[in-house]
Amino acid sequence: MIDKILDKDNLTKEDLKFLLSLETPEELEKLKKKAFQILKEFSSEKVYLRGLIEFSNICINDCYYCGIRKSNHNVHRYTLNKEEIVDSAIWAAENKYGSIVLQSGERSDSKFVDLIVDIVQEIKEKTKSEILPNGLGITLSIGEQSYEDYKRFFDAGAHRYLLRIESSSKELYGELHPNSLNWENRNQCLKNLKKIGFQVGTGVMIGFPNQTLDDLVNDILFFKEMDIDMIGMGPFLIHNETPYADMEEIYSKRKEEIYKLALKMIAVTRIYLKDVNIAAATALQAMYPLGREAGLTYGANVFMPNITPAAVRGEYQLYNGKPCLDELASDCLDCVVRRIESTGRTIGFDFWGDSKHFKDNNLD
Ligand code: SAH
């Protein structure tokens, strides 16, 4: 049965669900093998780096699952200054990262928006070189903003944007968020980003309460329907200062199941969407030390080493168990190279590593 399904060109909803339910090591081996074959055929087996700079944990939102939600008063709030952010970006360029992700809690006041525009412009100018004639590739991950502000970020030089839909089910989205956030807005933001010309990334959390396999199948169909270029998905993890804190025990029992499901989601998404970029999420490593390597072997092709200055890294905890809290960016790079090469893959140093899906759909 599994061989027949993996050989099919057009997978149905039932096929996707079947693949997400695989359990035995032999079946999982076959799934991985297929995902890797598709990756090689439709993209490249190179792993691309994005240096992740978590530049601020100030947030106006109150997502029930997130450790830096505004109601968590135990977090020391910070925003790195422009020089610190630009210096981290220059370090990334000098260390052959090719691309960075600027991520933060959400704010939409004009001071914040102006700061982002300014930083993007300065990073672009200061990282141009013979090797990177257009400077570092910049991805933003700073939440829901207006069409006009997204356009300003794009015009300043950011060319990719990550905004997870968290769940393609409106109902489940409503369970994860307060009423001030709604699914339609988020979906509209994704459409706006596409219209402006960004390479657009989205994704979901895997394993949160009440989510079923059918929901996950619908998530994969949503990625396809929205013509998404990049995917970032990871396991749902409990943060002990959120409304989900009392579920910690239940979740420690579900750990293995959710971890496996997250890996299967990567493989099935790779098999179904073929040419997109898929990140091996840090949350996988928060569950098991070799989680991100496992993500690569299940078909991911993007790795996001944390290059946030170590002094503030501990203050950006979205969930319990975040790894690499006290490492210097330079130690982190050695470790990342070892981790990626241990999976038999090579690193696309000094490349932007754009999504093949985007390139193929946007030939001039
Ligand atoms: N403020 C930005 C960046 C959010 S953090 C935005 O809203 O897009 C990036 C991602 O971390 C979120 O989209 C969410 O999917 C994930 N995340 C947050 N809390 C989490 C948790 N407890 N477990 C797993 N993933 C979590």
Side-chain angles (χ1 to χ4, degrees), residues 48-53 88-89 91-93 95-102 123-124 127 132 135-139 159-160 199 277 302-305 307 348-354:
Y48 297 105
L49 301 178
R50 278 84 174 97
L52 174 63
I53 307 172
S88 294
W91 182 90
N95 285 277
K96 302 172 183 276
Y97 274 73
S99 281
I100 53 166
V101 176
L102 295 174
I123 291 175
K124 278 289 179 188
T127 57
L132 290 172
L136 273 178
I138 301 180
T139 308
H159 79 291
R160 295 189 284 238
Q199 270 175 65
N277 274 351
V302 168
F303 203 95
M304 293 166 48
I307 62 166
F349 282 119
D350 283 324
F351 281 106
W352 278 10
D354 281 332

Side-chain angles (χ1 to χ4, degrees), residues 3 21 48 93 99 143 153 170 184 254 257 260 270 354:
D3 296 317
S21 349
Y48 297 105
S99 281
F153 301 147
K170 289 179 201 176
E184 273 83 8
R254 291 188 63 194
E257 169 221 330
K260 261 205 219 149
R270 168 63 65 204
D354 281 332

Side-chain angles (χ1 to χ4, degrees), residues 65-66 103-104 106 141 143 164 166 186 205 235 237 318-319:
Y65 46 85
C66 183
Q103 190 180 84
S104 69
E106 198 164 309
S141 174
R164 291 189 181 176
E166 314 298 358
R186 214 159 173 87
M205 288 184 294
L237 297 160
L318 310 177
Y319 41 74

